[in-house]
């Protein structure tokens, strides 16, 4: 039996590459584009293009000069911009309901916990709460 693998669309590949670069920025911040190229295996040109796209979307920001131990002028540091995008986490527990808003900089923007006895409650009522 022969399995054919569908080719990866250009858009899907770019989305994956954007996610890889954003993940590396989050792990290493502040980080230079040169260090991102080393960490990801992408060319410096590709990293610069991806960082520009992420900056244009407000997901990363340039922080200023950083020395990477190399000669020449200092590189520009890139960090995650936590001011624009956030994630919402919800937790349903037997004793409470909780919500938490966390920005990309890993700062908690809002947390709310409501005590609730969810034992025996219909799932629809718990979700509504």
């Amino acid at each position: 039996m022969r399995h054919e693998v569908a080719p990866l669309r250009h858009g899907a590949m770019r989305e994956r590459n954007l996610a890889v670069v954003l993940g590396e920025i989050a792990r290493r911040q502040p980080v230079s584009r040169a260090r991102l190229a080393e960490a990801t295996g992408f060319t410096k040109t590709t990293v610069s293009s991806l960082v520009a796209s992420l900056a244009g979307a407000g997901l990363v920001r340039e922080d200023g000069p950083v020395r990477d131990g190399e000669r020449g002028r200092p590189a520009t540091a890139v960090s995650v911009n936590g001011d624009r995008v956030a994630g919402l986490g919800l937790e349903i527990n037997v004793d409470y309901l909780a919500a938490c808003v966390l920005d990309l900089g890993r700062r908690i923007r809002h947390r709310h916990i409501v005590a609730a006895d969810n034992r025996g409650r219909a799932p629809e009522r718990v979700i509504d709460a």
Side-chain angles (χ1 to χ4, degrees):
M1 178 177 255
R2 187 173 181 210
H3 296 286
E4 292 189 30
V5 178
L8 191 59
R9 295 182 350 264
H10 175 73
M13 186 182 310
R14 182 162 175 79
E15 288 171 10
R16 180 195 155 279
N17 292 349
L18 285 165
V20 167
V21 169
L22 183 58
E24 287 300 321
I25 293 169
R27 272 187 286 289
R28 300 169 186 272
Q29 65 184 329
V31 62
S32 70
R33 287 170 178 77
R35 291 282 184 238
L36 286 170
E38 289 175 14
T40 62
F42 300 149
T43 66
K44 289 180 183 180
T45 302
T46 298
V47 167
S48 288
S49 172
L50 294 170
V51 167
S53 293
L54 292 168
L59 299 176
V60 300
R61 67 174 179 266
E62 292 185 344
D63 288 332
V66 64
R67 285 249 176 234
D68 276 343
E70 297 176 14
R71 292 183 185 170
R73 67 170 203 221
T76 301
V78 180
S79 294
V80 171
N81 180 6
D83 297 334
R84 183 114 185 239
V85 177
L88 172 65
L90 302 173
E91 181 179 1
I92 299 173
N93 202 301
V94 294
D95 297 325
Y96 63 88
L97 302 172
C100 182
V101 177
L102 187 71
D103 69 25
L104 286 182
R106 298 185 182 134
R107 292 177 301 216
I108 295 173
R109 295 301 183 124
H110 182 76
R111 181 182 299 177
H112 188 72
I113 299 173
V114 176
D117 184 2
N118 295 314
R119 293 174 188 88
R121 285 178 74 187
E124 298 81 15
R125 291 201 54 218
V126 175
I127 297 296
D128 285 345

